[in-house]
Amino acid sequence: MKTISPAAVIAVAAIAAFSGWITIRAKTLEEDFDKRGFAINATGKPAPALALPALDGHTVSLADYRGKKNVLIVYWASWCSPWRAEIPFLDRLYKGLKNSSQEFEILGVSVDEDRSEAEKFVRENNMTYPVLLDPGRKTVDAFHVESVPSLVLVDRNGQIVYGHSGFDQRTQFELAGKLGAAGFRMGGMDGRRGN
């Protein structure tokens, strides 16, 4: 009978451990990916209260817009890669609808723990809509936000009419449709080039 060397035993154990780790890691990534593209379970419900400090020092309240404007609340963080893809679309949407007949506002809500990181990100990306700070994430649970980026559309009656976590082409079309901007140019996302 041939004996197995200690090096062979260690090699087999290492391969088994690596295989187990890679399987667990793949499952975790899959679950994270699934979370990035799901509807937020708050649609059809009244929007909870939201009053947060803005980067400019003022406190902004969702109640200020009731009866006046639809409000798109965008939860984000400076470290979130998918968020970077969302910025140009939201900026075009904001500029395009701001001067139209649509009564519409975007409120970006940064969940960054460090205010300076949010300020730097806003400055570097020329974000033009109001940015609020929620470093303690006190409004996240109320709006059923589980990951960033997440979008929550509240109509002028204070009802949540759309909620989505993650960002992709479908999200852009759904959101534009909800805002009455179905013909809005997506800037290359619908096969055409935008400005």
Side-chain angles (χ1 to χ4, degrees):
M1 184 164 165
K2 195 171 187 179
T3 59
I4 301 173
S5 73
V9 171
I10 292 171
V12 169
I15 290 170
F18 178 74
S19 295
W21 176 82
I22 203 75
T23 301
I24 291 168
R25 182 68 182 134
K27 184 64 176 166
T28 302
L29 289 173
E30 181 182 343
E31 288 170 358
D32 287 349
F33 179 77
D34 288 345
K35 276 189 169 182
R36 295 205 182 276
F38 66 90
I40 292 175
N41 189 19
T43 305
K45 298 177 182 174
L50 181 144
L52 294 168
L55 283 178
D56 68 5
H58 293 89
T59 297
V60 176
S61 173
L62 185 57
D64 296 340
Y65 299 98
R66 182 158 292 174
K68 301 173 190 169
K69 294 184 180 187
N70 295 319
V71 179
L72 177 63
I73 304 167
V74 183
Y75 283 89
W76 63 275
S78 61
W79 44 261
C80 176
S81 299
W83 168 240
R84 293 179 190 279
E86 193 170 350
I87 295 169
F89 166 75
L90 290 174
D91 193 49
R92 284 191 306 276
L93 183 66
Y94 187 68
K95 289 175 181 173
L97 292 180
K98 194 70 176 161
N99 297 320
S100 73
S101 62
Q102 299 293 323
E103 296 295 327
F104 164 73
E105 184 63 79
I106 292 179
L107 299 177
V109 178
S110 169
V111 296
D112 281 295
E113 293 296 325
D114 184 351
R115 177 191 177 106
S116 65
E117 289 297 317
E119 289 172 327
K120 177 182 172 189
F121 191 86
V122 167
R123 191 174 47 256
E124 289 175 352
N125 291 282
N126 299 314
M127 294 166 62
T128 55
Y129 41 86
V131 173
L132 313 181
L133 303 169
D134 192 5
R137 301 177 184 188
K138 48 186 183 174
T139 66
V140 168
D141 288 339
F143 280 91
H144 301 270
V145 171
E146 294 184 28
S147 65
V148 291
S150 286
L151 309 160
V152 179
L153 180 59
V154 178
D155 71 11
R156 54 179 57 85
N157 298 318
Q159 294 291 316
I160 297 174
V161 294
Y162 179 80
H164 190 80
S165 178
F167 187 73
D168 55 26
Q169 185 175 1
R170 189 183 102 222
T171 306
Q172 293 181 39
F173 285 106
E174 288 174 352
L175 189 55
K178 289 284 185 187
L179 290 168
F184 178 75
R185 292 187 70 171
M186 303 293 170
M189 298 306 284
D190 63 354
R192 297 178 290 171
R193 291 277 174 224
N195 302 15

